[in-house]
Amino acid sequence: VQGDGDVRDDLAANAAAFAGMAGAWADAQPSFRMIWDSPRWRWWCRYYLTRIFIEVAPRRIRAWRDGDTSKPPFEVRL
């Protein structure tokens, strides 16, 4: 996927958005719940839990049918 990216660098807004996603992440990765539910682990992992979101508006998508990279990819331009 190629496109134009926009960095959301408002850390307070990103933290609130990430907190809203944390439950779904913990469901997908149960070991994450140990970190998220523990204030001590959250403090130790504070840099890992800091997120900067990048939103990408796709302009072009290239893919290989059946994962066969010996053939040229097909391309979709948006």
Side-chain angles (χ1 to χ4, degrees), residues 35-47 49:
I35 295 170
W36 188 250
D37 288 346
S38 167
R40 179 174 286 170
W41 272 104
R42 267 205 235 182
W43 184 84
W44 279 103
C45 297
R46 64 191 179 275
Y47 296 110
L49 296 173

Side-chain angles (χ1 to χ4, degrees), residues 19-38:
M21 293 182 240
W25 193 5
D27 291 342
Q29 291 183 335
S31 61
F32 175 73
R33 182 151 314 275
M34 178 184 72
I35 295 170
W36 188 250
D37 288 346
S38 167

Side-chain angles (χ1 to χ4, degrees), residues 6-78:
D6 184 37
V7 176
R8 291 176 25 196
D9 58 0
D10 179 347
L11 295 182
N14 291 347
F18 180 69
M21 293 182 240
W25 193 5
D27 291 342
Q29 291 183 335
S31 61
F32 175 73
R33 182 151 314 275
M34 178 184 72
I35 295 170
W36 188 250
D37 288 346
S38 167
R40 179 174 286 170
W41 272 104
R42 267 205 235 182
W43 184 84
W44 279 103
C45 297
R46 64 191 179 275
Y47 296 110
Y48 175 75
L49 296 173
T50 300
R51 298 290 184 223
I52 296 177
F53 292 95
I54 301 172
E55 296 174 336
V56 178
R59 299 282 182 221
R60 178 171 80 161
I61 300 171
R62 298 175 74 190
W64 288 262
R65 294 193 192 282
D66 300 319
D68 184 357
T69 58
S70 67
K71 297 178 183 174
F74 72 91
E75 183 174 302
V76 176
R77 290 189 180 264
L78 306 170

